[in-house]
Amino acid sequence: MEIEDRRFNEIAIIQLFNRQSSIENRQLSIRSRMVKRIIGILLLILGSPCLLSAKEIVHVAILPFEVHAPEQIDFFRNKLPELLEKQLSKEGISVTLPSPETLAEEGDISGDNQLRSFGEKLGADFVITGSFNRIGSRFSLDIKAIPSSAMRLSHHFYVEGEGLENLLDRVQELAKQISNKIFERKKIVRITIVGNKRIESEAIKRLLKAKEGELFSKKELSDDLKRVYNMGYFDDIRVEATDVPGGKEVIFTVKEKPTISDISIKGNIVLTDDKIKEALDIKTGSILNIHKVYNNVEMIEGLYKEKGYHNVRVTFKTESLKGDRAKLVFAIEEGKKVLIKEIIFEGNDAYSSDHLQGLMKTSEKGFFSWLTSSGELNQEVLDQDITKIAAYYHNNGYIQAKVAEPHITFEDEYIYITIKIEEGLKFGIGKVSMEGDLIKPEDELLSLIKINKEKIYNREVIRKDILTLLDVYSDAGYAYADVVPRVNEDPVRQKVDIAYAITQGKPVYFEKIIITGNTKTRDKVIRRELKVYEQELFSGKRLKQGSRNLYRLDYFEDIKVNTSRGSSDDKMNLHIDVKEKPTGAFSFGGGYSSVDHAFLMTSISQRNLFGRGQTLMLKASTGKRTTLFNLGFTEPWLFDIPLSAGFDLYNQERDYDTYDKKSTGGRLRFGYRITDYTRTSLYYGYEETNIEIEDEAEAAQEIKDMEGEFISSSVTGIVRRDSRDRVFNPTEGSDNSLSVEWAGGPFGGDIAFTKYVAESGWYFPLFWRTVGMLHGKAGFVTENRGGMLPVYERFFLGGMNSVRGFDWRDIGPEDPETGDKIGGDKMIQFNAEFLFPLIKDAGLMGLLFYDAGQAYNDDENFDLREVRESIGYGIRWYSPLGPMRLEYGYILDREPDEHKGRWEFAIGTLF
């Protein structure tokens, strides 16, 4: 056992010395890389005789140590002096280790007098002897420094420690004690900075390792000199140390570099001065720092390379001015634009080079490269192209495909890019299975994924399958479920067997729902839309639905939904951080119609009244022939259930060509949310109307029959499913509704009819962030016994929200004798739109549209050959003033004396 312990100790000690040697080698390597910089600094140091004076160099000789330990570690006799020699050298002490031959020739040198004589022969100021003692795990070092001159005093040093792994630290402490005694170091009383005008003294002192109240060290000051020089703000630095009462005063005398008073750019044509200066981080008024200047040279070259000028060369010079000021001049040689001449693929057999180039955004120089960006090299875009090519291979069966980093060659005015590809074998799909924690039968899980329906390996499909499976598990409460596809390649069959390994983890419950950022909207208005509740099992699907519901409220500019672990592994906190936006609106719009000519509309509304989610609106419309006032209120959650209730009160006056209509009424509204997207509503409306005929001779009979005062009482039922992602400029989803209005009969009044209206609109994303929309609408109305069907309850088309290009209510049956618009008892309408981004970041959209529609009289059937058609274009923008529409419709089947088309617009503003 003693032999084993001794062997262990020897190994530990050898490792200790090897570690020290390794550290020294690394430090030497680092120093070799900094030679150029240090040479300049050393020149400054050599100019400070107070630091490196030859008179102050101390020479010592270290004799072999005596070793007292239970185990045989005699090699410590020479290893410890070597270790101490390295540490003393760092302290600025010159060390000699006498050779065994020299010691043998000298004989007995155990006494102080013999040691002094030996030190004089070696030219040493001190001779150091010592002993190493070890008892158990503790050790001590007992050192004595004997001066060669009898006029100087001897010094004794002692350190101890626990465990040989701490031996190096103790030797370092010992070297520090020896250095302090031999150099008779004093404390630094104060540090003074002289010559600085713009750089604060405290900023310099913060860099210094030397501190007031600590021991004076020439080595530390030498290192501090380098630190101050590396600040880059000084042309000259001197360090002096003088004796003062109580110790030393250290004085740093600096000469600051000049201040940049002007920055000039020369030789630039492609980029303006402002564009270049905008990228610089050097400004006038700052101190000239050469390191920063070189960095800015690289910045300027980078700007040009982004534009394709890869041969650009930027130099600089400084011009001295009065008052320690300087002018900095960047000189630019732009060179000619360097474009991609050829993209070369190597190793591609499955796909042609043209096919692979078609996947890339980076392209070769084209005929119109002077107008387009073809041929320009952007390293970031090229890296994305390489990733895209690799993904294309991996998604088409080439699971082993590798695409190397592109090799870029610059030759004169052209760039050549070489892309090497290792395709490997093409793999099909073999066996697909599920393993691990299955919460549903394997066959049911396999039916949800897509990779088993593919013929060839496709990494993207596998990624989507993982997300599908994670959704299944998260909906069951396993929020931390993990799905890892294990892919087994069989080169013989060229098939890939895939096993989805599922780890479900623990069921997770919502511990807390934490809502922040809502300064106006009440917590309960947000919580009731979330569809998840505290202490309830986690559901990823319901959480997504709740997030979508919050967006559809349109109360918030931004919504961030995050989760964090709760008080235990099976609990989760839900964080909802919202940024509110104005929900009050003042809007106005306008248009033109054959009835009203130019008209204006204005409204003031609050969609989140008092933060309760209630809506209050006052609307007014006035034109040449129409005046309307309307007041409405809606409570979306009556009795804290998804039952909405509200009312409308209105007064309207309208001057038609042959009659005037004055009406006052109101409406009670109720609605209930059946599903997330589906609501059913019930309205009761009451209206008192007075019809006055302006010209009995020119009025149609249907209009004459309405003359006088009468009452309308009706009930309307509506079922609507709206899954659009937003109300204005939706990008996906649909809006479908069916309504039935029944007037008269058991509800009383003078008007009796039944009206049916069905409407459907679908939105779907297309390519390049474009959106398609298809919309259809149909209606039918019948007159009931015991009352009448007034003209204004019949169907008319034309205008911004039906068939654009036509005047409002311009499409529909006319009286054959008077030409009055009398409306139809049935109608059909179709709209198609193609929306595309004009300014994506600003939300400005352009659109092209096709509209068609017609209203038919009682004795007519639906006939698609009779529909009126128009096409057109326009813009839509959620502007700072609110949603804006500006659209022009051109009539395709224009009749004699009919206008070609017309503009319409609507705009609003937020407050």
Side-chain angles (χ1 to χ4, degrees), residues 762-809:
W762 295 80
Y763 302 84
F764 39 91
L766 300 173
F767 51 88
W768 299 334
R769 296 182 179 271
T770 60
V771 177
M773 187 279 287
L774 295 176
H775 172 263
K777 185 177 181 181
F780 177 70
V781 62
T782 61
E783 183 177 317
N784 298 334
R785 272 192 274 176
M788 67 173 178
L789 173 61
V791 169
Y792 55 81
E793 291 291 356
R794 295 169 70 86
F795 295 109
F796 299 84
L797 295 180
M800 179 171 281
N801 294 316
S802 58
V803 183
R804 286 158 284 193
F806 293 87
D807 288 342
W808 182 66
R809 296 167 63 96

Side-chain angles (χ1 to χ4, degrees), residues 508-557:
V508 178
Y509 294 82
F510 286 113
E511 183 174 13
K512 294 179 181 177
I513 299 177
I514 304 167
I515 300 172
T516 57
N518 53 319
T519 58
K520 176 183 177 182
T521 306
R522 303 193 179 195
D523 275 15
K524 79 170 187 177
V525 173
I526 298 175
R527 289 177 182 273
R528 68 194 184 193
E529 301 291 340
L530 290 178
K531 298 300 180 185
V532 294
Y533 307 95
E534 293 175 341
Q535 310 307 319
E536 185 184 70
L537 200 62
F538 177 89
S539 171
K541 181 179 180 181
R542 286 190 284 114
L543 183 56
K544 291 177 182 177
Q545 291 174 343
S547 178
R548 185 162 182 162
N549 288 344
L550 290 179
Y551 274 105
R552 285 167 57 83
L553 286 176
D554 201 28
Y555 297 165
F556 310 109
E557 183 178 321

Side-chain angles (χ1 to χ4, degrees), residues 475-530:
D475 288 342
Y478 299 101
Y480 302 126
D482 189 27
V483 179
V484 179
R486 291 195 299 103
V487 179
N488 184 23
E489 305 168 18
D490 187 345
V492 178
R493 294 187 300 137
Q494 287 188 224
K495 296 282 188 181
V496 175
D497 295 329
I498 303 172
Y500 290 96
I502 304 174
T503 304
Q504 68 183 26
K506 295 180 179 180
V508 178
Y509 294 82
F510 286 113
E511 183 174 13
K512 294 179 181 177
I513 299 177
I514 304 167
I515 300 172
T516 57
N518 53 319
T519 58
K520 176 183 177 182
T521 306
R522 303 193 179 195
D523 275 15
K524 79 170 187 177
V525 173
I526 298 175
R527 289 177 182 273
R528 68 194 184 193
E529 301 291 340
L530 290 178

Side-chain angles (χ1 to χ4, degrees), residues 13-28:
I13 295 166
I14 291 171
Q15 288 176 342
L16 174 68
F17 287 111
N18 287 342
R19 177 163 65 92
Q20 173 66 12
S21 298
S22 175
I23 293 171
E24 295 294 331
N25 290 336
R26 286 199 300 271
Q27 291 174 339
L28 287 173

Side-chain angles (χ1 to χ4, degrees), residues 58-59 122 219 281 357 367 371 383 389 395 417 419 490 516 539 687 749 827 846 848 859 885:
V58 177
H59 301 274
L122 295 178
K219 183 179 182 301
D281 62 3
Q357 279 196 40
F367 183 76
L371 183 62
D383 292 340
I389 293 171
N395 293 338
I417 300 176
I419 302 173
D490 187 345
T516 57
S539 171
E687 180 181 278
M827 59 80 67
L848 303 174
D859 55 352
R885 291 176 62 182

Side-chain angles (χ1 to χ4, degrees), residues 204-265:
I204 299 174
K205 288 182 178 181
R206 280 196 294 269
L207 290 176
L208 304 180
K209 191 174 181 180
K211 303 294 180 184
E212 294 176 354
E214 296 183 359
L215 289 175
F216 173 80
S217 168
K218 294 184 178 66
K219 183 179 182 301
E220 275 189 359
L221 291 183
S222 177
D223 292 340
D224 285 341
L225 182 66
K226 299 174 190 177
R227 293 188 184 94
V228 177
Y229 180 79
N230 285 335
M231 292 177 73
Y233 297 131
F234 307 106
D235 276 332
D236 184 39
I237 308 169
R238 294 179 62 249
V239 184
E240 296 177 325
T242 59
D243 291 327
V244 295
K248 293 275 188 179
E249 179 184 13
V250 177
I251 303 172
F252 283 83
T253 304
V254 299
K255 181 182 179 183
E256 292 179 341
K257 290 182 177 179
T259 302
I260 300 173
S261 62
D262 182 46
I263 299 176
S264 177
I265 314 290

Side-chain angles (χ1 to χ4, degrees), residues 234 336 495 530 541 596 620 642 672 728 879:
F234 307 106
K336 292 184 178 180
K495 296 282 188 181
L530 290 178
K541 181 179 180 181
D596 284 327
Y672 189 80
F728 187 75
S879 71

